[in-house]
Amino acid sequence: MSIKQENGWPQLGLDLGTFAVKGVLLEEGDVQKKILVPTAGNPVQAARECLASLLADHQDDFVQCGLTGANAYLLAQEVGVKPLLEIEALQAGLAWQGARAASVLSLGHENMYYLEMGPAGDILFFNRNGQCAAGSGAFWYQQATRMGYNDQELAQIALETESAVKISGRCAVFAKSDMTHAINEGATQGAVSAGMARALTDMILTGVALNRIKESGTLIAVGGVANNKAVM
């Protein structure tokens, strides 16, 4: 799959995620602008801000537009564009970058999935996480907020901690219970956050990738959780 340019129009892509909207504008195959706007609870408004910034110099021009992400449907009707399947968008992005990978982990705040790719970029195997929040980046973000940190600050705290408490990664309810019990027993925030990172890592490896990640071959990780140093 490739990104096709028709009629010489600029190409605009928006990824409406749970906590941020990411946008990019291409002209003749080259990136002209990129932007990231936190959703702050209103992904449509964040998407409008992205559009206004990306199209500031193209007010009267036609553009090709693609939407993807968990909240793409909220903007789709307004702009008259049918959302793209995330996997198809990922395939197109990898092809555009010229990236070749034996496997791909897409680690979003709501959805996580694992792909094994063929030499031509075709999908040989696919699996995704279940509906439980313990297997997603949203769980990490929620617990970081509860502790008074952002997600990157909590990841750094986890990295600097030598010990980790045991936290269930199978269920958000059990995970919160384990965290509360550990804190009541005197565990530090660092030990709790390190335990969360291990639980999330185990969930990705076993629940999403089903223990299929091999030592050989190129693995590409994308999505917000791919920026979490304590997990990666």
Side-chain angles (χ1 to χ4, degrees):
M1 178 179 292
S2 62
I3 301 174
K4 297 180 180 179
Q5 185 160 6
E6 299 175 1
N7 302 320
W9 296 347
Q11 297 166 303
L12 183 148
L14 286 182
D15 177 45
L16 285 79
T18 305
F19 296 112
V21 176
K22 288 78 70 180
V24 63
L25 180 70
L26 302 179
E27 291 189 63
E28 298 182 357
D30 295 325
V31 175
Q32 299 300 313
K33 290 183 180 180
K34 295 189 294 184
I35 188 172
L36 183 150
V37 177
T39 60
N42 192 336
V44 172
Q45 180 57 36
R48 289 172 180 158
E49 292 180 27
C50 285
L51 287 171
S53 175
L54 294 172
L55 298 177
D57 299 325
H58 297 277
Q59 295 295 324
D60 299 320
D61 295 340
F62 287 103
V63 298
Q64 290 178 268
C65 182
L67 302 177
T68 189
N71 290 313
Y73 71 97
L74 295 174
L75 187 68
Q77 188 172 3
E78 182 173 323
V79 299
V81 175
K82 182 180 179 180
L84 301 169
L85 294 176
E86 289 189 40
I87 295 177
E88 291 183 349
L90 177 59
Q91 283 181 285
L94 291 173
W96 181 77
Q97 290 277 5
R100 296 188 178 275
S103 52
V104 178
L105 276 170
S106 178
L107 307 175
H109 280 98
E110 284 192 2
N111 299 316
M112 292 186 176
Y113 48 85
Y114 171 72
L115 306 171
E116 291 177 0
M117 313 289 289
D122 50 323
I123 297 173
L124 305 178
F125 177 82
F126 169 82
N127 188 59
R128 68 179 300 162
N129 65 317
Q131 296 301 311
C132 181
S136 68
F139 178 73
W140 180 275
Y141 185 90
Q142 291 162 2
Q143 302 316 309
T145 301
R146 284 182 59 192
M147 294 184 187
Y149 301 102
N150 62 39
D151 53 345
Q152 295 302 309
E153 289 171 341
L154 191 62
Q156 187 60 40
I157 291 172
L159 283 174
E160 294 172 353
T161 302
E162 295 183 358
S163 61
V165 300
K166 177 70 174 177
I167 293 178
S168 171
R170 292 290 179 182
C171 173
V173 175
F174 292 158
K176 290 178 183 178
S177 177
D178 289 344
M179 292 170 59
T180 300
H181 176 74
I183 291 173
N184 289 340
E185 291 293 314
T188 65
Q189 288 186 333
V192 171
S193 61
M196 287 171 50
R198 291 187 182 182
L200 184 51
T201 301
D202 289 343
M203 172 55 69
I204 291 170
L205 293 176
T206 62
V208 180
L210 301 180
N211 292 317
R212 293 174 64 99
I213 296 177
K214 302 177 178 63
E215 291 185 6
S216 60
T218 301
L219 170 69
I220 292 179
V222 300
V225 179
N227 294 317
N228 187 323
K229 296 179 180 179
V231 174
M232 299 308 295

